[in-house]
Amino acid sequence: MIPTSTQHVIAQSDFYLEPELFYVAQVSKVNTPGLHRLVCQDEKETTVITTESGLADLDVIARNKEHWNLFVINCANPFYCVGFLTAISTAMTNAGLDILLTSTFSRDLVFVPQQHSAQATELLLQLGFRQQQAIPA
């Protein structure tokens, strides 16, 4: 169960859908990290989330074949919101959607296969998130 305090934070949080499609790639080299949405490296591998045009900047070992949409979620109270990500992932899971969920310092990024973006939008709205109509500058 999601705490009431978290439901209040969700009601004060918003999201928008990036217009570009994204890919997730395992790479051996990233030439220009600033071209990509996310570069993550651990002791096993380097993973990059990027657009189609960004793939040319990478030495790709493997990548997903599907197009993914990106929902950017602006949490009204980052770090201090028990169950915030659980609410999102549970709603998507219960609807049968495959997602990739990651976080930055102040935002949560939810990647959804393109064919499920309308359904994901509806789920976020049902949870209580507000949708931004345009990407902020």
Side-chain angles (χ1 to χ4, degrees):
M1 184 165 106
I2 303 302
T4 302
S5 59
T6 299
Q7 292 171 345
H8 291 298
V9 172
I10 288 172
Q12 297 170 4
S13 301
D14 60 36
F15 73 94
Y16 62 90
L17 178 63
E18 287 277 352
E20 293 188 83
L21 298 173
F22 288 84
Y23 295 89
V24 180
Q26 179 186 30
V27 304
S28 60
K29 183 177 178 187
V30 179
N31 295 304
T32 314
L35 289 178
H36 311 287
R37 183 53 130 165
L38 185 70
V39 176
C40 182
Q41 184 174 9
D42 63 19
E43 72 284 350
K44 181 181 174 188
E45 63 190 3
T46 301
T47 300
V48 177
I49 298 175
T50 194
T51 60
E52 188 168 6
S53 63
L55 290 171
D57 181 64
L58 306 170
D59 291 344
V60 177
I61 297 169
R63 71 171 176 86
N64 67 313
K65 302 295 183 206
E66 306 83 17
H67 295 109
W68 288 64
N69 282 118
L70 168 58
F71 290 86
V72 177
I73 300 176
N74 298 301
C75 180
N77 192 16
F79 292 102
Y80 305 101
C81 190
V82 174
F84 188 83
L85 295 177
T86 298
I88 296 166
S89 63
T90 298
M92 302 283 179
T93 298
N94 289 343
L97 302 185
D98 188 16
I99 65 169
L100 173 62
L101 179 62
T102 190
S103 297
T104 65
F105 189 86
S106 62
R107 292 179 162 166
D108 295 303
L109 308 175
V110 182
F111 295 88
V112 177
Q114 181 184 21
Q115 68 269 25
H116 299 297
S117 65
Q119 186 179 7
T121 298
E122 186 56 36
L123 290 168
L124 291 171
L125 292 170
Q126 287 173 9
L127 284 170
F129 289 96
R130 293 174 287 120
Q131 184 175 9
Q132 292 183 13
Q133 296 306 313
I135 296 175

